Amino acid sequence: MTIKAHQPLRRERSTALGGAPAGPRPDRSAPEVSFIICTRNRVAVLEACIKSVQAACRAHAGFAAELVVVDNGSSDRTAERLASIAAKSDIPFTPVNEPRPGLAAARNAGLRRARGRVLVFVDDDCAVHCDYLRDLERHYSSGEQGLIRGGRVELGDPRDLPFTIKRSRVRERLTPDIHPGGFVLGCNMTMHRDVAARIGDFDERFGAGGPLRSAEDTDYLVRAVLLGIPVEYVPDMTIFHHHGRRDRKAIEKLHRDYSLGNGGLCLKHARHAPWLLRHFYWAARGALRELAGGPAFDRELDLSHWPIVGMNVLGAARYALLARRPQAEPVRQDQQANAEA
């Protein structure tokens, strides 16, 4: 959905959680790129994802890569399988345990363990195109480096409903006229480690498994823009999303979860990015038009504007309550290792 801004963006004075999650600069032996994959109780699809990343790394071995896989408190065989895969992998492989629930917490754990110059977030139900690293290297060697860059997301299985994908063939930059939700998808998001250090940790109130269920990636994009960091979409760097949702009930639930997170996002950034509130205005106007026979939010999937309006309000209210609570400092992996020892 397109929105128009009437006020310039202003930079945030601090990041949401502070700190430099990417840690110290990698040494000369460190890989060029780190693939960060977060997972929870999805060992079957996870193995296919890992194999696709390994195949892409072999196809472009000159651009050295590593895999950092974060187990976010799984209760299935994930830990066991990761240990086995790590022992046999011909690509540097680091399994990480992050028991604190939430995708944002898992992403932060991955950031702290990644050693690469370029960081790549890929979801555990995705498969990487064999030319992914070739595209990635071309963009970061010949183009701008100080930005967040996301690539194309195709359906991995044609039986899945066309949701959580981005098929645009147009290279573009995020501007205040465009709502950031879905502009770059968190399942295919890259950045230089210095960019991650500037933005800080992912806000753990957002994201799957967190109180606001989604939008940890969108919040990251907004914070980047407020710091003057460009956000770019490119129509290559392709991954295939095997999300497995084939019935309306699953899509409608995800639609509501995204709207909940976006409501919290609007309230969090209402002062410095008031243009986000136009998303709520357009959703409310679209909902009223639906009553008079106007178009749905998504005609292909027949998704209504009304869940957006209701869940935006609920998300804003939930964020207001969360904002009153002190934010716990994330447990760093070195601290966790010392505690376990």
Side-chain angles (χ1 to χ4, degrees):
M1 180 176 294
T2 301
I3 52 179
K4 296 182 179 180
H6 296 286
Q7 298 182 27
L9 292 178
R10 295 164 56 185
R11 296 189 177 191
E12 277 187 332
R13 294 183 179 178
S14 62
T15 60
L17 298 179
R25 285 182 174 273
D27 57 36
R28 292 182 179 179
S29 62
E32 288 293 316
V33 58
S34 296
F35 284 94
I36 301 172
I37 304 169
C38 303
T39 189
R40 177 180 169 83
N41 290 334
R42 301 174 80 174
V43 67
V45 296
L46 172 64
E47 291 197 45
C49 175
I50 291 173
K51 288 179 180 178
S52 75
V53 174
Q54 290 173 327
C57 293
R58 297 187 196 105
H60 195 52
F63 198 47
E66 69 169 355
L67 280 77
V68 177
V69 183
V70 183
D71 179 7
N72 193 206
S74 296
S75 57
D76 60 5
R77 298 181 299 108
T78 296
E80 175 187 343
R81 289 299 301 142
L82 288 181
S84 176
I85 294 170
K88 300 175 183 178
S89 179
D90 58 337
I91 308 298
F93 191 106
T94 302
V96 178
N97 177 45
E98 176 49 82
R100 293 179 304 123
L103 178 56
R107 289 191 191 276
N108 289 335
L111 279 173
R112 287 188 286 272
R113 292 298 294 273
R115 299 180 299 130
R117 179 174 61 90
V118 177
L119 310 172
V120 181
F121 288 95
V122 177
D123 281 4
D124 60 0
D125 57 355
C126 293
V128 174
H129 191 282
C130 62
D131 289 332
Y132 190 96
L133 274 180
R134 193 179 309 278
D135 295 335
L136 182 76
E137 182 182 27
R138 183 180 68 255
H139 288 301
Y140 278 93
S141 62
S142 62
E144 191 173 353
Q145 295 187 5
L147 78 174
I148 293 179
R149 181 178 282 122
R152 187 179 178 88
V153 180
E154 287 280 3
L155 275 180
D157 190 324
R159 294 174 295 176
D160 295 346
L161 292 174
F163 204 62
T164 61
I165 58 174
K166 181 157 184 175
R167 293 167 161 170
S168 173
R169 297 187 179 275
V170 179
R171 184 171 184 167
E172 57 183 332
R173 292 284 179 97
L174 179 62
T175 71
D177 292 332
I178 305 171
H179 189 273
F183 181 80
V184 164
L185 297 178
C187 64
N188 188 6
M189 181 170 67
T190 77
M191 67 197 75
H192 196 284
R193 67 184 299 107
D194 292 343
V195 170
R198 282 189 64 193
I199 300 173
D201 283 346
F202 286 86
D203 189 333
E204 296 180 9
R205 294 168 291 195
F206 293 87
L212 291 167
R213 301 183 194 170
S214 68
E216 87 294 337
D217 49 355
T218 309
D219 173 69
Y220 214 71
L221 301 185
V222 173
R223 288 161 54 198
V225 170
L226 292 174
L227 288 168
I229 297 171
V231 177
E232 179 180 67
Y233 167 80
V234 293
D236 50 16
M237 278 173 40
T238 304
I239 65 103
F240 302 93
H241 198 180
H242 296 262
H243 63 72
R245 298 178 180 90
R246 298 172 186 173
D247 62 86
R248 281 190 50 80
K249 184 177 293 186
I251 296 298
E252 287 173 349
K253 180 183 183 304
L254 195 58
H255 182 48
R256 291 193 298 272
D257 287 350
Y258 285 166
S259 299
L260 182 77
N262 283 333
L265 187 78
C266 286
L267 184 59
K268 175 181 177 179
H269 297 288
R271 179 181 177 186
H272 297 295
W275 47 273
L276 286 172
L277 296 173
R278 286 189 168 271
H279 174 67
F280 178 77
Y281 166 75
W282 288 110
R285 194 175 79 163
L288 292 174
R289 287 182 172 180
E290 273 189 59
L291 290 178
F297 170 74
D298 187 313
R299 296 183 183 183
E300 184 177 3
L301 296 173
D302 193 28
L303 296 175
S304 172
H305 289 90
W306 284 103
I308 299 176
V309 176
M311 297 303 285
N312 276 180
V313 172
L314 179 59
R318 185 170 294 184
Y319 179 84
L321 293 175
L322 292 168
R324 296 183 178 182
R325 304 175 188 173
Q327 289 293 297
E329 286 293 324
V331 179
R332 296 187 179 276
Q333 292 296 320
D334 53 355
Q335 296 174 342
Q336 181 178 317
N338 292 335
E340 291 175 349

